[in-house]
């Protein structure tokens, strides 16, 4: 079983080496690591070139945004399983991909996800938020739940059958894709109760009130284009459900 890991970058010289090394150090040998760079000018490409021997593909050039870049990587992927690891994220341990591979040995499993730690941008051993995902039940989507996308892995056949990221959804494209795979089409998802990814604080959709409101509109659109009907409280619960991440720590 081969796993394809897609990393998207743009002027990520400050963080991408940690990302690349966290993949290179995985104990699982069956990894296809694909890097899609949007035309960086800050030294990112020089760092990527140092890892060429362990990278399956490197694409450089302009794109229509982060999800367009992800789609380029997905189109190239030849692994049985696909995961996304962005250039400011890194795997929490050397056996993360081995854990993922073990889960997918069960042919009934279509997707999996785990927990995520938000860490300080410069002090990555300092945890700022802890996202404990919990077991998957379809009804949880109606209460504002979603799995953390950096920890989400899915069989390539889901992308081949149901499509990749919808660029019209902006920063909600990852939410829409998981909603589509899991709720609309009923893909079987398994929760791994461990921290799989560490993510530096920040994020486009939460960068300002305007962005958060726009993301809320896109979240509503994600339901509508899939023919799904959220509860009256769903869109309000989605941001509110994240509040306990600031107080929660591992049990």
């Amino acid at each position: 079983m081969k796993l394809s890991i897609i990393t998207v970058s743009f002027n990520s010289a400050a963080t991408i080496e940690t990302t690349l090394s966290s993949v290179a150090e995985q104990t699982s040998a069956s990894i296809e690591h694909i890097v899609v760079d949007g035309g960086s000018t800050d030294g990112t490409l020089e760092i990527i070139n140092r890892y060429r021997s362990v990278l399956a593909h490197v694409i450089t050039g302009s794109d229509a945004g982060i999800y367009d870049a992800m789609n380029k990587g997905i189109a190239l992927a030849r692994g049985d399983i696909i995961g996304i690891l962005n250039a400011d994220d890194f795997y929490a341990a050397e056996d993360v991909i081995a854990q993922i591979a073990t889960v997918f040995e069960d042919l009934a499993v279509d997707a999996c996800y785990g927990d995520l730690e938000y860490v300080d941008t410069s002090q990555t051993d300092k945890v700022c938020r802890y996202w404990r995902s919990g077991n998957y039940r379809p009804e949880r989507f109606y209460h504002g739940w979603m799995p953390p996308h950096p920890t989400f892995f899915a069989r390539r056949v889901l992308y081949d059958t149901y499509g990749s990221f919808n660029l019209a959804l902006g920063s909600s494209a990852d939410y829409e894709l998981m909603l589509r795979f899991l709720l609309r089409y009923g893909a079987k998802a398994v929760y791994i109760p461990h921290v799989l990814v560490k993510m530096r604080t920040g994020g486009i959709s939460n960068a300002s009130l305007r962005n958060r409101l726009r993301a809320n509109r896109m979240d509503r659109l994600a339901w509508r284009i899939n023919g799904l009907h959220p509860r009256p409280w769903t869109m309000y619960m989605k941001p509110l459900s994240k509040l306990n991440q600031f107080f929660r720590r591992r049990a």
Side-chain angles (χ1 to χ4, degrees):
M1 180 190 303
K2 179 183 287 186
L3 286 88
S4 296
I5 309 300
I6 297 162
T7 295
V8 171
S9 64
F10 180 70
N11 288 343
S12 307
T15 61
I16 195 170
E17 185 150 23
T18 305
T19 305
L20 299 176
S21 64
S22 80
V23 177
E25 293 166 1
Q26 291 297 303
T27 55
S28 175
S30 300
I31 296 175
E32 174 190 60
H33 194 185
I34 299 169
V35 176
V36 184
D37 183 82
S40 294
T41 57
D42 69 339
T44 297
L45 292 174
E46 286 81 352
I47 296 170
I48 292 171
N49 284 333
R50 295 206 297 266
Y51 286 82
R52 283 276 187 166
S53 64
V54 293
L55 298 175
H57 301 282
V58 175
I59 307 172
T60 61
S62 60
D63 52 55
I66 186 171
Y67 294 105
D68 180 43
M70 289 179 187
N71 284 345
K72 290 181 179 180
I74 291 167
L76 273 179
R78 292 297 175 264
D80 306 287
I81 314 300
I82 293 176
I84 308 290
L85 186 70
N86 287 329
D88 50 1
D89 304 342
F90 56 97
Y91 289 125
E94 295 178 357
D95 65 344
V96 166
I97 300 304
Q99 293 181 59
I100 301 300
T102 298
V103 167
F104 281 104
E105 288 176 359
D106 181 349
L107 297 181
V109 173
D110 299 307
C112 73
Y113 61 92
D115 295 342
L116 178 143
E117 285 182 342
Y118 289 89
V119 297
D120 184 80
T121 302
S122 55
Q123 301 178 55
T124 56
D125 57 343
K126 179 181 178 181
V127 179
C128 304
R129 294 164 58 184
Y130 184 87
W131 188 340
R132 182 177 294 129
S133 308
N135 292 322
Y136 175 64
R137 299 188 304 279
E139 63 269 20
R140 294 188 70 191
F141 271 111
Y142 293 93
H143 297 282
W145 177 88
M146 64 177 285
H149 184 246
T151 74
F152 185 74
F153 290 78
R155 293 194 186 274
R156 183 160 57 91
V157 67
L158 292 184
Y159 290 94
D160 292 342
T161 304
Y162 304 125
S164 299
F165 293 99
N166 186 332
L167 304 189
L169 272 292
S171 64
S172 295
D174 52 0
Y175 177 58
E176 188 278 327
L177 180 132
M178 293 185 289
L179 194 69
R180 187 189 336 143
F181 285 3
L182 302 183
L183 190 59
R184 179 178 179 181
Y185 291 112
K188 180 180 178 181
V190 170
Y191 166 55
I192 300 175
H194 302 292
V195 175
L196 302 182
V197 174
K198 298 195 177 194
M199 179 179 184
R200 289 176 174 83
T201 52
I204 297 172
S205 64
N206 296 314
S208 69
L209 177 60
R210 177 182 295 179
N211 286 347
R212 183 58 254 170
L213 291 173
R214 184 177 187 275
N216 185 271
R217 291 195 299 271
M218 292 298 100
D219 290 346
R220 291 178 186 275
L221 180 59
W223 285 77
R224 188 162 62 250
I225 65 176
N226 281 293
L228 300 170
H229 304 285
R231 306 289 186 261
W233 56 84
T234 302
M235 295 302 103
Y236 300 103
M237 289 298 296
K238 187 169 179 281
L240 290 174
S241 68
K242 297 181 180 181
L243 290 177
N244 64 1
Q245 296 171 12
F246 292 94
F247 308 103
R248 179 178 284 175
R249 293 292 182 269
R250 271 178 284 186

